[in-house]
Amino acid sequence: MSSKVRVRFAPSPTGPLHIGGVRTALYNYLFAKKHNGDFILRIEDTDQNRYVEGAEQYIIDSLNWCNIPYDEGPGKEKDCGPYRQSERKNLYKEYADQLIESGNAYYAFDTAESLDAHRKEHEAEGKTFIYNWHNREKLKNSLALSSEEVAKRIEKGEHYVIRFKAPKDEILHTVDEIRGEMEIDTSILDDKVLYKSDGMPTYHLANIVDDHLMKITHVIRGEEWLPSLALHVLLYRSLGWESPKFAHLPLILKPKGKGKLSKRDGDKLGFPVFPLEWKDPNSGEIASGYREDGYFPEAVTNMLAFLGWNPGTEQEFFTIEELTEVFDLKRVHKAGAKFDPEKTKWFQQHYLQESDNSYIASEFLKILKTKNIDATLEYTKHVVDLVKERAIFIEDIWEQGFYFFVNPTSYDPKNTKKAWKETTNELMKELISVLKNIEDFKADKVSEEVKNWIKSKEIGFGKVMQPLRISLVGSLQGVDIFQIAEAIGKDKTIYRIENAIQIIKK
Ligand code: GLU
């Protein structure tokens, strides 16, 4: 086996990539980069019935968006291609044959109906039908039939499958990098189908052959594949190949209670379970995605990194580069990891605060455009400087700072009722005169002048400040009122106060 670390992410293009799949890809990527190895994308599309249009591109787009690009794979062909199993179809038969020759596999001709009948018969007796050493000698296969009969059936074009002959009574010892030593009693295994006469291998055979031919050194995948581990180890042994190392990542559980986080949970529970939005090509149904919901990829990958792993230190924020340095399979947990959508928001808030305000402003300008609002980058950046700390997503800048871009058209009735008294109209008119006299309309200056005037009138600050805020914002929300006044400028400030007097009129 080559000493260079080579890992693969091997999704089946059966729909959008679940966030759990993204975590598998991330851990593979981190492991590869930590060891200066290669990260390979292999599309496992042997099951044509489950193939979904657009799913492969979705997988590629998701990895790119998360900044975990693959080194080899579709579109990045290197020596071990092609990287789609459907394009490798002709490769697998030889290995199925090899397994038959060595006595590790056999032809089976049982029809779906006959297997169903066996299943029902067993059920009626309270038993479970397993196709393995229990009964394989009694079924329609090359272990029970004469070699002439087998040859005749194949020649006639009868449908067959090739099944692995799982050993009886063996305690298989193997190691999982996360779970440690494992012992599996092979008597409980069923004789899995490896190959079908339609020329297609099943997942198990294709997966093993490809991992071998692609020189994969470590198989890092979800816990749901743990039940296949024994078969895979046995297949390597039967083919005379050295097995890669295996690591099965813990399940991702629903935020509350037990059970696996499923593809359907997301929109039902109010958070995305997909990296990107996905439109089902058949139903047209849309499932939400982290990207479209405004999350930064850094927040998503940071959250995913902690979903089943921890660095063993107090540090919580990690860029991908930092993760590649500290990531270690030894620190991946065995127990299921609870998905925590609030934690993702918390990471998002951090990365928004960390990111460059010019970038946020340029992205926010796109949102303003959709509202038909024109603003300069400089002005928008100034607004971002003022309101960013209150935002989690770029989109929140609107909710937190819309009043920098539009005049209020309505006034919060509850606030207005409380703050706009009989005398307020007069006070506001006087305030306008004070403002008119301020030459240098800077926040500090405006604040000083207005406050001095209030003091000179010997009235409470709230009597002016609250109506002023209502005039400029439409409610009592918002950042420092004098910063707002400075940003929108003297004319607009006065205009908004005049408007409020007109509309609110007592
Ligand atoms: N095609 C399998 C999947 O969809 C790959 C499992 C593995 O990594 O071996 O998850």
Side-chain angles (χ1 to χ4, degrees):
M1 190 186 287
S2 76
S3 58
K4 187 175 194 195
V5 163
R6 284 172 62 81
V7 296
R8 81 322 189 255
F9 177 49
S12 299
T14 54
L17 184 60
H18 183 251
I19 203 77
V22 183
R23 185 195 60 178
T24 301
L26 173 68
Y27 284 20
N28 272 284
Y29 174 90
L30 296 176
F31 185 79
K33 297 301 137 186
K34 161 120 188 208
H35 295 98
N36 294 319
D38 298 325
F39 173 47
I40 292 137
L41 174 66
R42 183 174 71 228
I43 301 295
E44 300 210 324
D45 57 352
T46 51
D47 190 350
Q48 294 291 322
N49 296 328
R50 295 181 62 218
Y51 181 83
V52 172
E53 188 73 40
E56 179 183 319
Q57 193 55 45
Y58 180 95
I59 292 164
I60 295 172
D61 292 346
S62 299
L63 299 183
N64 288 337
W65 181 70
C66 288
N67 296 313
I68 48 174
Y70 52 94
D71 303 300
E72 277 174 48
K76 292 186 188 175
E77 272 72 17
K78 300 237 168 89
D79 298 345
C80 293
Y83 295 88
R84 272 182 212 101
Q85 288 185 329
S86 57
E87 292 169 16
R88 302 170 66 82
K89 206 175 143 187
N90 300 330
L91 252 123
Y92 305 109
K93 177 78 180 9
E94 130 184 28
Y95 300 103
D97 289 345
Q98 190 183 320
L99 288 167
I100 289 193
E101 262 156 49
S102 61
N104 288 299
Y106 57 90
Y107 294 104
F109 302 94
D110 316 85
T111 60
E113 293 76 38
S114 77
L115 291 176
D116 217 36
H118 285 303
R119 232 168 265 133
K120 292 215 173 98
E121 229 168 76
H122 275 70
E123 263 166 36
E125 291 173 33
K127 294 193 223 150
T128 316
F129 173 73
I130 307 177
Y131 203 129
N132 68 2
W133 57 272
H134 278 106
N135 46 30
R136 63 189 165 210
E137 312 271 327
K138 291 182 239 143
L139 294 156
K140 291 256 171 320
N141 57 48
S142 57
L143 300 174
L145 304 168
S146 70
S147 41
E148 293 79 40
E149 167 92 27
V150 170
K152 219 161 62 200
R153 282 176 184 249
I154 294 176
E155 198 147 307
K156 266 190 0 217
E158 199 172 308
H159 285 301
Y160 66 82
V161 296
I162 295 177
R163 283 182 184 271
F164 184 66
K165 191 176 166 200
K168 186 187 167 195
D169 289 339
E170 184 189 330
I171 302 297
L172 187 73
H173 294 267
T174 184
V175 177
D176 179 271
E177 296 298 297
I178 295 162
R179 280 144 228 273
E181 296 207 12
M182 305 185 77
E183 279 184 1
I184 302 148
D185 179 358
T186 62
S187 312
I188 60 160
L189 302 177
D190 58 340
D191 289 356
K192 280 270 187 284
V193 174
L194 301 177
Y195 192 84
K196 296 189 217 136
S197 50
D198 65 2
M200 271 301 204
T202 60
Y203 155 72
H204 298 292
L205 181 68
N207 187 271
I208 264 55
V209 168
D210 286 347
D211 280 347
H212 174 72
L213 297 179
M214 293 182 178
K215 304 185 180 73
I216 299 303
T217 58
H218 297 75
V219 169
I220 304 169
R221 61 186 174 190
E223 184 178 314
E224 61 272 29
W225 300 102
L226 200 55
S228 304
L229 177 62
L231 170 65
H232 292 183
V233 171
L234 289 167
L235 277 170
Y236 280 105
R237 188 175 80 184
S238 307
L239 287 161
W241 297 338
E242 192 183 335
S243 147
K245 290 197 159 73
F246 288 94
H248 290 86
L249 307 177
L251 290 178
I252 298 181
L253 307 173
K254 293 184 205 299
K256 277 196 199 115
K258 293 193 186 110
K260 224 174 116 177
L261 182 72
S262 86
K263 286 196 176 191
R264 273 167 295 280
D265 280 332
D267 289 324
K268 214 167 63 195
L269 299 176
F271 55 86
V273 288
F274 300 116
L276 319 178
E277 192 174 271
W278 167 261
K279 185 171 176 198
D280 188 277
N282 299 317
S283 66
E285 215 176 297
I286 291 183
S288 67
Y290 279 91
R291 181 178 65 185
E292 290 72 13
D293 275 14
Y295 287 85
F296 289 174
E298 293 86 336
V300 175
T301 48
N302 205 150
M303 173 275 286
L304 287 176
F306 275 83
L307 211 56
W309 167 89
N310 75 72
T313 63
E314 294 294 304
Q315 190 178 341
E316 293 198 271
F317 301 110
F318 287 90
T319 61
I320 292 277
E321 292 72 31
E322 287 167 336
L323 283 170
T324 34
E325 270 162 42
V326 296
F327 184 77
D328 188 349
L329 282 178
K330 295 275 174 291
R331 297 206 68 88
V332 174
H333 321 152
K334 290 196 243 333
K338 248 191 209 157
F339 194 78
D340 181 354
E342 287 311 310
K343 193 83 194 250
T344 325
K345 275 196 191 145
W346 182 74
F347 279 119
Q348 168 60 25
Q349 184 167 27
H350 170 80
Y351 285 104
L352 185 82
Q353 302 314 315
E354 290 280 290
S355 65
D356 180 51
N357 288 2
S358 303
Y359 165 74
I360 299 178
S362 64
E363 289 299 304
F364 185 61
L365 274 174
K366 294 179 194 161
I367 296 177
L368 288 179
K369 244 207 179 94
T370 66
K371 300 180 191 292
N372 287 323
I373 295 171
D374 266 336
T376 64
L377 182 63
E378 200 193 343
Y379 180 75
T380 310
K381 180 175 171 292
H382 180 60
V383 174
V384 171
D385 290 339
L386 292 172
V387 306
K388 178 168 113 171
E389 62 178 44
R390 296 161 180 240
I392 298 178
F393 301 102
I394 292 180
E395 205 184 52
D396 295 346
I397 307 282
W398 176 254
E399 203 183 310
Q400 298 300 336
F402 61 90
Y403 47 83
F404 285 102
F405 303 96
V406 287
N407 298 327
T409 49
S410 64
Y411 302 91
D412 177 70
K414 223 168 115 203
N415 292 161
T416 311
K417 196 162 174 241
K418 244 175 55 196
W420 209 282
K421 306 271 191 272
E422 293 292 325
T423 54
T424 304
N425 275 1
E426 277 316 305
L427 269 176
M428 289 295 106
K429 281 181 193 155
E430 259 187 68
L431 174 64
I432 289 173
S433 327
V434 175
L435 296 175
K436 274 190 177 151
N437 285 330
I438 304 172
E439 287 287 307
D440 182 21
F441 211 74
K442 289 272 173 287
D444 286 353
K445 184 80 181 135
V446 180
S447 163
E448 195 189 317
E449 296 286 335
V450 171
K451 285 178 180 164
N452 283 342
W453 166 71
I454 298 174
K455 270 187 214 142
S456 74
K457 290 198 67 79
E458 295 184 339
I459 51 170
F461 271 79
K463 282 212 161 58
V464 173
M465 300 298 275
Q466 290 195 355
L468 173 60
R469 184 172 290 281
I470 287 174
S471 304
L472 301 192
V473 175
S475 72
L476 290 178
Q477 78 165 104
V479 299
D480 178 73
I481 197 67
F482 300 109
Q483 290 291 349
I484 301 174
E486 178 187 320
I488 64 177
K490 186 161 149 179
D491 291 350
K492 256 196 198 132
T493 301
I494 293 171
Y495 171 80
R496 287 189 188 181
I497 301 170
E498 281 169 346
N499 244 358
I501 296 173
Q502 282 291 316
I503 297 173
I504 298 170
K505 265 195 228 144
K506 271 266 163 171

Short mmCIF file of all heavy atoms in Angstrom, two decimals, residues 8 10-12 42 44 203 207 211 219-222 224-225 232, ligand 1:
data_model
loop_
_atom_site.label_atom_id
_atom_site.label_comp_id
_atom_site.label_asym_id
_atom_site.label_seq_id
_atom_site.Cartn_x
_atom_site.Cartn_y
_atom_site.Cartn_z
N ARG A 8 -11.35 9.20 0.75
CA ARG A 8 -12.37 9.53 -0.25
C ARG A 8 -13.69 9.84 0.42
O ARG A 8 -14.00 9.37 1.51
CB ARG A 8 -12.49 8.40 -1.27
CG ARG A 8 -13.31 7.15 -0.94
CD ARG A 8 -13.25 6.64 0.43
NE ARG A 8 -13.89 5.35 0.62
CZ ARG A 8 -15.07 5.15 1.22
NH1 ARG A 8 -15.75 6.16 1.69
NH2 ARG A 8 -15.54 3.94 1.38
N ALA A 10 -17.55 9.35 -0.65
CA ALA A 10 -18.16 8.53 -1.69
C ALA A 10 -19.68 8.58 -1.67
O ALA A 10 -20.34 7.58 -1.43
CB ALA A 10 -17.67 7.09 -1.54
N PRO A 11 -20.26 9.74 -1.89
CA PRO A 11 -21.72 9.83 -1.80
C PRO A 11 -22.43 9.20 -3.00
O PRO A 11 -21.84 9.07 -4.07
CB PRO A 11 -21.96 11.34 -1.79
CG PRO A 11 -20.83 11.90 -2.59
CD PRO A 11 -19.65 11.02 -2.28
N SER A 12 -23.68 8.84 -2.77
CA SER A 12 -24.53 8.38 -3.87
C SER A 12 -25.40 9.57 -4.27
O SER A 12 -25.97 10.23 -3.41
CB SER A 12 -25.41 7.23 -3.39
OG SER A 12 -24.58 6.17 -2.97
N ARG A 42 -15.65 10.39 -5.01
CA ARG A 42 -16.11 9.31 -5.89
C ARG A 42 -17.63 9.25 -5.85
O ARG A 42 -18.23 9.25 -4.78
CB ARG A 42 -15.53 7.97 -5.41
CG ARG A 42 -15.91 6.83 -6.35
CD ARG A 42 -15.22 5.54 -5.97
NE ARG A 42 -15.72 4.96 -4.75
CZ ARG A 42 -14.95 4.51 -3.76
NH1 ARG A 42 -13.64 4.60 -3.84
NH2 ARG A 42 -15.50 3.97 -2.70
N GLU A 44 -20.88 7.34 -6.18
CA GLU A 44 -21.32 5.94 -6.15
C GLU A 44 -22.73 5.84 -6.71
O GLU A 44 -23.72 5.89 -5.98
CB GLU A 44 -21.22 5.40 -4.72
CG GLU A 44 -19.78 5.47 -4.22
CD GLU A 44 -19.41 4.41 -3.21
OE1 GLU A 44 -20.27 4.04 -2.39
OE2 GLU A 44 -18.26 3.94 -3.25
N TYR A 203 -23.27 -1.94 -4.14
CA TYR A 203 -22.44 -1.01 -3.36
C TYR A 203 -21.21 -1.70 -2.78
O TYR A 203 -20.09 -1.21 -2.90
CB TYR A 203 -23.29 -0.37 -2.26
CG TYR A 203 -22.49 0.10 -1.07
CD1 TYR A 203 -21.66 1.22 -1.17
CD2 TYR A 203 -22.53 -0.60 0.14
CE1 TYR A 203 -20.89 1.64 -0.08
CE2 TYR A 203 -21.77 -0.18 1.22
CZ TYR A 203 -20.95 0.93 1.11
OH TYR A 203 -20.19 1.33 2.17
N ASN A 207 -17.57 -0.60 -3.93
CA ASN A 207 -16.91 0.22 -2.92
C ASN A 207 -15.52 -0.34 -2.57
O ASN A 207 -14.53 0.39 -2.52
CB ASN A 207 -17.84 0.22 -1.69
CG ASN A 207 -17.38 1.15 -0.60
OD1 ASN A 207 -16.62 0.74 0.27
ND2 ASN A 207 -17.83 2.39 -0.63
N ASP A 211 -12.03 1.37 -3.65
CA ASP A 211 -11.11 1.82 -2.59
C ASP A 211 -9.73 1.21 -2.82
O ASP A 211 -8.71 1.86 -2.62
CB ASP A 211 -11.66 1.45 -1.20
CG ASP A 211 -12.73 2.43 -0.73
OD1 ASP A 211 -12.87 3.51 -1.37
OD2 ASP A 211 -13.43 2.13 0.24
N VAL A 219 -10.68 4.75 5.35
CA VAL A 219 -12.10 4.92 5.02
C VAL A 219 -12.76 5.60 6.21
O VAL A 219 -12.86 5.01 7.29
CB VAL A 219 -12.76 3.56 4.72
CG1 VAL A 219 -14.27 3.70 4.63
CG2 VAL A 219 -12.19 2.96 3.44
N ILE A 220 -13.15 6.85 6.02
CA ILE A 220 -13.80 7.60 7.10
C ILE A 220 -15.23 7.84 6.66
O ILE A 220 -15.45 8.51 5.65
CB ILE A 220 -13.07 8.94 7.35
CG1 ILE A 220 -11.58 8.69 7.65
CG2 ILE A 220 -13.74 9.73 8.48
CD1 ILE A 220 -10.72 9.94 7.66
N ARG A 221 -16.18 7.27 7.36
CA ARG A 221 -17.58 7.36 6.92
C ARG A 221 -18.51 7.29 8.11
O ARG A 221 -18.09 7.06 9.24
CB ARG A 221 -17.88 6.23 5.93
CG ARG A 221 -17.70 4.86 6.52
CD ARG A 221 -17.86 3.77 5.47
NE ARG A 221 -17.55 2.46 6.04
CZ ARG A 221 -17.43 1.36 5.32
NH1 ARG A 221 -17.58 1.40 4.00
NH2 ARG A 221 -17.17 0.21 5.88
N GLY A 222 -19.78 7.45 7.84
CA GLY A 222 -20.78 7.51 8.91
C GLY A 222 -21.00 6.16 9.59
O GLY A 222 -20.75 5.10 9.02
N GLU A 224 -23.58 4.61 10.10
CA GLU A 224 -24.56 3.73 9.47
C GLU A 224 -23.91 2.65 8.62
O GLU A 224 -24.55 1.68 8.24
CB GLU A 224 -25.59 4.52 8.67
CG GLU A 224 -25.07 5.35 7.52
CD GLU A 224 -24.64 6.76 7.95
OE1 GLU A 224 -24.23 6.94 9.11
OE2 GLU A 224 -24.69 7.67 7.10
N TRP A 225 -22.62 2.80 8.34
CA TRP A 225 -21.91 1.78 7.55
C TRP A 225 -21.18 0.77 8.41
O TRP A 225 -20.56 -0.15 7.89
CB TRP A 225 -20.93 2.45 6.56
CG TRP A 225 -21.69 3.35 5.63
CD1 TRP A 225 -21.77 4.71 5.69
CD2 TRP A 225 -22.54 2.95 4.55
NE1 TRP A 225 -22.61 5.18 4.72
CE2 TRP A 225 -23.10 4.12 4.00
CE3 TRP A 225 -22.90 1.71 4.01
CZ2 TRP A 225 -23.98 4.09 2.92
CZ3 TRP A 225 -23.78 1.69 2.94
CH2 TRP A 225 -24.31 2.86 2.41
N HIS A 232 -16.85 -5.97 4.53
CA HIS A 232 -15.80 -5.29 3.78
C HIS A 232 -14.42 -5.84 4.13
O HIS A 232 -13.60 -6.10 3.26
CB HIS A 232 -15.89 -3.77 4.00
CG HIS A 232 -17.13 -3.17 3.39
ND1 HIS A 232 -17.40 -1.84 3.39
CD2 HIS A 232 -18.17 -3.76 2.75
CE1 HIS A 232 -18.57 -1.63 2.79
NE2 HIS A 232 -19.04 -2.78 2.40
N1 GLU B 1 -22.09 5.41 -1.18
C1 GLU B 1 -22.04 5.33 0.24
C2 GLU B 1 -22.84 6.50 0.77
O1 GLU B 1 -23.66 6.99 0.07
C3 GLU B 1 -20.61 5.34 0.70
C4 GLU B 1 -20.34 4.71 2.03
C5 GLU B 1 -18.86 4.60 2.26
O2 GLU B 1 -18.23 5.64 2.47
O3 GLU B 1 -18.35 3.49 2.20
O4 GLU B 1 -22.70 6.99 1.86
#
